[in-house]
Amino acid sequence: MRQRAKPDELRAHQSSVSPLSGPPQGGTMVTIRGVNLGMSLSELQGRVEVAGVPCHARSEGYITAEQLVCEMDSAPLGSSPGPVQLCVSECKPELSTHSSQLYTFVSPGVSALTPTRGPVSGGTKVTILGQDLSAGSSVNVRFGNNTCEFYR
């Protein structure tokens, strides 16, 4: 005799969200892991918000029912931290979930560079100090028109 699944066993659940902060300009790729996160990507299209901001489900990184990667829209000025909310197929209470973790909008800022100068030919390793420098899903460093290799 087959046992019937309990409603809580079918409910979508988020176990982790990464990263938990990013710039308000958008473009951050947010990875959501959990269970019952949809049997196809189309069940999630247009149904994901991160801190109240639309986040568009992407095919890259999607693992059926287990993982979703979405790209953030830009946040309105003054946006507050908030959970990730998503609905699977329809936005009914039994098909929606929100994270216990909060996503925060931050603006990275540089406070110091060491050394402050180097040869025009390049090759100088520069240490950058500041706040929220690891926010978002990618980091790009440029000095003028020159892109730099970035090491954490």
Side-chain angles (χ1 to χ4, degrees):
M1 180 182 221
R2 252 172 96 186
Q3 287 186 344
R4 204 170 182 175
K6 297 174 188 160
D8 282 349
E9 293 172 351
L10 299 175
R11 186 175 213 145
H13 173 74
Q14 298 175 47
S15 56
S16 70
V17 175
S18 178
L20 288 174
S21 64
Q25 293 83 359
T28 299
M29 299 297 216
V30 177
T31 301
I32 304 159
R33 291 186 177 90
V35 294
N36 298 329
L37 299 180
M39 293 306 292
S40 71
L41 192 61
S42 63
E43 290 185 307
L44 299 164
Q45 294 291 357
R47 296 181 178 96
V48 183
E49 288 188 351
V50 176
V53 175
C55 196
H56 304 282
R58 306 284 302 248
S59 58
E60 302 86 16
Y62 178 69
I63 300 172
T64 303
E66 295 177 13
Q67 178 176 288
L68 163 70
V69 175
C70 63
E71 183 175 359
M72 297 279 300
D73 271 358
S74 59
L77 191 61
S79 291
S80 299
V84 172
Q85 299 178 64
L86 63 84
C87 301
V88 178
S89 188
E90 299 176 58
C91 283
K92 296 179 178 177
E94 65 271 17
L95 297 174
S96 65
T97 179
H98 66 273
S99 65
S100 59
Q101 300 167 298
L102 298 182
Y103 183 91
T104 304
F105 297 100
V106 295
S107 294
V110 175
S111 58
L113 299 173
T114 308
T116 57
R117 59 186 180 180
V120 174
S121 60
T124 303
K125 290 185 180 182
V126 177
T127 300
I128 304 170
L129 301 174
Q131 62 279 347
D132 300 315
L133 297 178
S134 63
S137 56
S138 65
V139 176
N140 297 300
V141 178
R142 298 175 63 87
F143 287 97
N145 292 327
N146 299 313
T147 302
C148 299
E149 263 187 81
F150 176 72
Y151 302 97
R152 290 193 190 261

